[in-house]
Amino acid sequence: MASGNPYTLKWGIMATGGIAETFCKDLLCSPAVRGADDVRHEIVAVASSSSSKRAAEFLQKINGAFDAKTYGSYPELVVDPNVDIIYVATPHSHHFQNTMLALEAGKHVLCEKAFTVTAAQAKKLVETAKAKNLFLMEAVWTRYFPLSIKVRELITSGEIGTVFRTIGDLSINSNAEEGNGLSFADSHRMVNPDLAGGATLDLGVYPLTWVFQTLYHLQPEQDKEAPTVIASSNKYTTGADENTAIICSFPGHNSIGIASTTMRADTDPENVVPAVRIQGSKGEIQVFAPAYRPTKYRVVKKNGEAQTFDVPQPADPARNNWGHGMFWEADECARCLRDGKLESATLPWKESIVIMETMEEALRQGGITYPELITTDVYDPKSPLNTGNQ
Ligand SMILES: NC(=O)C1=CN([C@@H]2O[C@H](COP(=O)(O)OP(=O)(O)OC[C@H]3O[C@@H](n4cnc5c(N)ncnc54)[C@H](OP(=O)(O)O)[C@@H]3O)[C@@H](O)[C@H]2O)C=CC1
Ligand SMILES: O=C1OC[C@@H](O)[C@H](O)[C@H]1O
């Protein structure tokens, strides 16, 4: 029970793009709106690799934290003594170097998904955090939703019996209006190999999250097994994957996970077909699209009896009824740090690494490759990924 003196976490925001804006708007929501009276968040610094002016403009965009420090570079941010934790909100290509920059400066880190570009990079981040006694978490925000917690509890309780198969999809129809291309410019992070673009790392991590949190995460520690992987991809003209299907087999548990993602179609344009089906011996749990931010699930018993549950994200009336759902992962960071934990039990380091190994194997089988600059696991504070020249 909170002592009435909430634990305060001071955030430094690295990058000022789309997700940084969404995350900060969530941080500015009152924790009371979501029943969190034991933690609170402050945005104390923001850095843009472009300029401190852009960082200042970002504060106007989020309409808050106006007394936060604003920096024109990431290296300045990570040495700010008032910052407890860095939120890394750059493209996947930058996550390894940017997270290392923060860890080496002694800062805790919440790094956006996908964690890294390679499993070796993820392992290096974990080794560094462990050696420096620092908190590190991959920002797979969906895991921290009350909906996801409830689904995991239902499985653990035996509500649908033994789970033998999870099928998940996150697909977003991004076809261009004209021609055969996608709607993204070739330089855009979604399709640019220099920014680790492609469906798997950006979108595929979500169906894989549902495969792992239902077929891997809930197993007793000593029984957890990395899956065998079969995958196939279609390449976009840039060389990034536009369409990927991954089969994860867990032979020790007689279960299979199927994760799919494409930029050529929607999971379901009508949103009536579940994005995720978790199928057990006594029935199934259906989670509705989008797989990254579901607000509805359905429990269907073997005899056909079914119940649907809506779990909307709490909105803060004082913040124009904003409430996206990234506050749950931020609260987890605060509670872990308050309680002296270096990793989250909801997404342990080992699991982030196994998921990266799975995605890396899928990309290998799909013939997808990325440049050395963004796949190296050698930290370089002078990398253009850290100095802002890439
Ligand atoms: N959890 C979720 O729901 C979502 C997560 N994401 C994840 O967040 C990360 C960022 O995505 P998003 O915010 O949409 O991306 P944006 O392109 O909107 O922002 C990325 C920011 O990174 C910085 N950056 C530094 N170097 C580069 C570079 N060479 N090219 C492009 N940007 C650069 C820029 O900020 P600056 O100039 O200020 O340094 C830029 O604004 C990705 O890893 C993505 O997977 C994205 C969307 C949703
Ligand atoms: O994490 C994400 O969720 C929503 C998608 O639109 C976005 O590209 C992806 O990064």
Side-chain angles (χ1 to χ4, degrees):
M1 195 46 196
S3 62
N5 181 18
Y7 178 89
T8 299
L9 191 54
K10 295 182 177 179
W11 292 87
I13 308 300
M14 185 183 283
T16 59
I19 202 55
E21 181 180 340
T22 301
F23 182 76
C24 287
K25 285 179 177 175
D26 268 356
L27 289 184
L28 292 168
C29 287
S30 164
V33 166
R34 56 185 183 274
D37 57 1
D38 60 330
V39 292
R40 57 187 294 277
H41 304 280
E42 282 180 21
I43 300 165
V44 299
V46 176
S48 169
S49 60
S50 312
S51 65
S52 58
K53 178 172 177 290
R54 177 165 164 136
E57 288 163 355
F58 179 80
L59 298 183
Q60 298 304 320
K61 250 194 210 176
I62 64 172
N63 187 27
F66 297 111
D67 52 359
K69 292 281 286 180
T70 54
Y71 297 108
S73 78
Y74 301 159
E76 289 173 278
L77 174 73
V78 298
V79 297
D80 182 322
N82 196 29
V83 166
D84 298 325
I85 184 168
I86 300 284
Y87 172 61
V88 175
T90 48
H92 325 321
S93 44
H94 291 51
H95 291 178
F96 171 69
Q97 293 293 344
N98 296 168
T99 300
M100 285 298 294
L101 185 73
L103 292 171
E104 288 295 334
K107 298 299 185 189
H108 306 295
V109 177
L110 174 64
C111 174
E112 259 308 329
K113 41 54 64 179
F115 212 13
T116 49
V117 181
T118 71
Q121 289 179 331
K123 288 173 187 168
K124 181 63 78 64
L125 293 185
V126 166
E127 277 165 26
T128 305
K130 208 181 287 183
K132 288 178 164 294
N133 203 32
L134 290 169
F135 175 80
L136 171 66
M137 185 173 115
E138 182 186 7
V140 187
W141 59 312
T142 313
R143 281 195 186 231
Y144 300 89
F145 291 4
L147 180 146
S148 300
I149 294 166
K150 182 63 183 172
V151 166
R152 295 195 296 265
E153 285 171 354
L154 284 170
I155 294 169
T156 304
S157 73
E159 185 75 16
I160 57 170
T162 305
V163 179
F164 289 106
R165 183 172 70 173
T166 293
I167 305 171
D169 181 81
L170 173 57
S171 297
I172 301 175
N173 185 331
S174 308
N175 291 290
E177 291 300 318
E178 308 274 323
N180 301 322
L182 293 170
S183 56
F184 306 111
D186 286 359
S187 58
H188 191 282
R189 73 172 186 85
M190 290 299 289
V191 293
N192 182 352
D194 290 340
L195 297 177
T200 298
L201 289 178
D202 187 73
L203 306 172
V205 62
Y206 288 103
L208 278 173
T209 289
W210 285 102
V211 163
F212 271 81
Q213 65 174 337
T214 56
L215 300 179
Y216 174 95
H217 181 76
L218 297 177
Q219 301 298 347
E221 202 51 44
Q222 68 278 9
D223 295 345
K224 285 178 179 172
E225 65 176 323
T228 58
V229 177
I230 300 175
S232 184
S233 292
N234 293 338
K235 279 187 189 179
Y236 186 47
T237 50
T238 58
D241 64 303
E242 65 170 43
N243 194 350
T244 294
I246 304 170
I247 298 174
C248 297
S249 170
F250 300 87
H253 297 88
N254 198 25
S255 62
I256 286 185
I258 303 168
S260 55
T261 177
T262 184
M263 300 190 219
R264 292 293 187 179
D266 285 320
T267 294
D268 171 27
E270 289 180 309
N271 196 18
V272 292
V273 172
V276 181
R277 294 178 66 189
I278 305 154
Q279 300 177 300
S281 53
K282 295 180 182 169
E284 69 177 55
I285 297 169
Q286 301 173 351
V287 177
F288 288 80
Y292 59 85
R293 188 177 184 263
T295 55
K296 181 173 78 172
Y297 72 94
R298 188 169 164 80
V299 181
V300 186
K301 291 310 192 65
K302 192 177 170 189
N303 64 7
E305 274 174 33
Q307 251 194 305
T308 301
F309 301 88
D310 289 310
V311 192
Q313 295 288 359
D316 186 346
R319 297 288 303 175
N320 276 331
N321 282 323
W322 174 273
H324 193 63
M326 304 190 85
F327 27 64
W328 304 114
E329 65 181 352
D331 293 349
E332 171 73 2
C333 293
R335 291 179 181 125
C336 284
L337 284 166
R338 177 195 65 194
D339 300 343
K341 295 176 184 167
L342 299 185
E343 60 182 311
S344 165
T346 299
L347 180 52
W349 290 339
K350 172 71 176 163
E351 190 163 346
S352 280
I353 290 170
V354 175
I355 292 173
M356 271 315 310
E357 287 169 340
T358 301
M359 291 202 283
E360 186 171 3
E361 175 57 15
L363 290 164
R364 186 192 66 78
Q365 293 184 24
I368 306 298
T369 59
Y370 293 110
E372 165 70 12
L373 176 72
I374 67 172
T375 57
T376 179
D377 66 350
V378 176
Y379 168 53
D380 176 5
K382 296 295 177 207
S383 163
L385 306 176
N386 280 325
T387 60
N389 303 318
Q390 159 74 8

Short mmCIF file of all heavy atoms in Angstrom, two decimals, residues 113 172 189-190 202-203 206 292, ligand 2:
data_model
loop_
_atom_site.label_atom_id
_atom_site.label_comp_id
_atom_site.label_asym_id
_atom_site.label_seq_id
_atom_site.Cartn_x
_atom_site.Cartn_y
_atom_site.Cartn_z
N LYS A 113 10.94 -0.63 -28.56
CA LYS A 113 11.04 -1.89 -29.31
C LYS A 113 11.27 -1.58 -30.78
O LYS A 113 11.04 -0.43 -31.19
CB LYS A 113 9.78 -2.74 -29.15
CG LYS A 113 8.41 -2.06 -29.19
CD LYS A 113 8.10 -1.20 -30.40
CE LYS A 113 8.07 -1.96 -31.67
NZ LYS A 113 7.73 -1.10 -32.86
N ILE A 172 -0.59 -3.80 -41.28
CA ILE A 172 -1.15 -2.48 -41.56
C ILE A 172 -1.04 -2.22 -43.05
O ILE A 172 0.07 -2.16 -43.60
CB ILE A 172 -0.41 -1.38 -40.76
CG1 ILE A 172 -0.51 -1.68 -39.26
CG2 ILE A 172 -0.96 0.00 -41.09
CD1 ILE A 172 0.27 -0.74 -38.36
N ARG A 189 11.79 5.25 -41.97
CA ARG A 189 12.28 4.19 -41.07
C ARG A 189 11.54 2.87 -41.28
O ARG A 189 12.04 1.80 -40.98
CB ARG A 189 12.19 4.62 -39.62
CG ARG A 189 10.76 4.64 -39.08
CD ARG A 189 10.68 4.89 -37.59
NE ARG A 189 9.31 4.74 -37.13
CZ ARG A 189 8.75 3.56 -36.78
NH1 ARG A 189 9.48 2.47 -36.86
NH2 ARG A 189 7.52 3.49 -36.35
N MET A 190 10.32 2.91 -41.78
CA MET A 190 9.55 1.67 -41.94
C MET A 190 10.13 0.78 -43.03
O MET A 190 9.94 -0.44 -42.99
CB MET A 190 8.08 2.00 -42.26
CG MET A 190 7.31 2.59 -41.11
SD MET A 190 7.19 1.49 -39.67
CE MET A 190 6.07 0.26 -40.30
N ASP A 202 9.61 -3.88 -36.78
CA ASP A 202 8.72 -2.82 -36.33
C ASP A 202 7.38 -3.35 -35.85
O ASP A 202 6.87 -2.89 -34.83
CB ASP A 202 8.48 -1.82 -37.46
CG ASP A 202 7.68 -0.63 -36.95
OD1 ASP A 202 8.26 0.19 -36.20
OD2 ASP A 202 6.47 -0.58 -37.22
N LEU A 203 6.80 -4.29 -36.63
CA LEU A 203 5.46 -4.78 -36.33
C LEU A 203 5.46 -6.22 -35.81
O LEU A 203 4.71 -6.56 -34.89
CB LEU A 203 4.60 -4.72 -37.60
CG LEU A 203 4.51 -3.36 -38.31
CD1 LEU A 203 3.80 -3.51 -39.64
CD2 LEU A 203 3.80 -2.35 -37.40
N TYR A 206 5.15 -7.59 -32.18
CA TYR A 206 3.90 -7.67 -31.40
C TYR A 206 3.25 -9.06 -31.47
O TYR A 206 2.96 -9.65 -30.43
CB TYR A 206 2.93 -6.58 -31.85
CG TYR A 206 3.35 -5.20 -31.41
CD1 TYR A 206 3.93 -4.31 -32.30
CD2 TYR A 206 3.21 -4.80 -30.07
CE1 TYR A 206 4.35 -3.05 -31.88
CE2 TYR A 206 3.63 -3.55 -29.65
CZ TYR A 206 4.19 -2.67 -30.56
OH TYR A 206 4.60 -1.43 -30.15
N TYR A 292 -0.95 -4.44 -30.86
CA TYR A 292 -0.07 -3.61 -30.02
C TYR A 292 -0.86 -2.83 -28.97
O TYR A 292 -0.31 -2.39 -27.96
CB TYR A 292 0.77 -2.64 -30.84
CG TYR A 292 0.01 -1.66 -31.71
CD1 TYR A 292 -0.46 -0.45 -31.20
CD2 TYR A 292 -0.25 -1.96 -33.04
CE1 TYR A 292 -1.18 0.44 -32.00
CE2 TYR A 292 -0.96 -1.07 -33.85
CZ TYR A 292 -1.42 0.12 -33.32
OH TYR A 292 -2.12 1.00 -34.12
O1 LIG B 2 5.14 -0.03 -32.33
C1 LIG B 2 4.45 0.26 -33.29
O2 LIG B 2 3.10 0.24 -33.20
C2 LIG B 2 2.23 0.85 -34.15
C3 LIG B 2 2.85 0.94 -35.54
O3 LIG B 2 2.10 1.82 -36.34
C4 LIG B 2 4.29 1.43 -35.46
O4 LIG B 2 4.87 1.47 -36.76
C5 LIG B 2 5.08 0.49 -34.61
O5 LIG B 2 6.43 0.97 -34.45
#
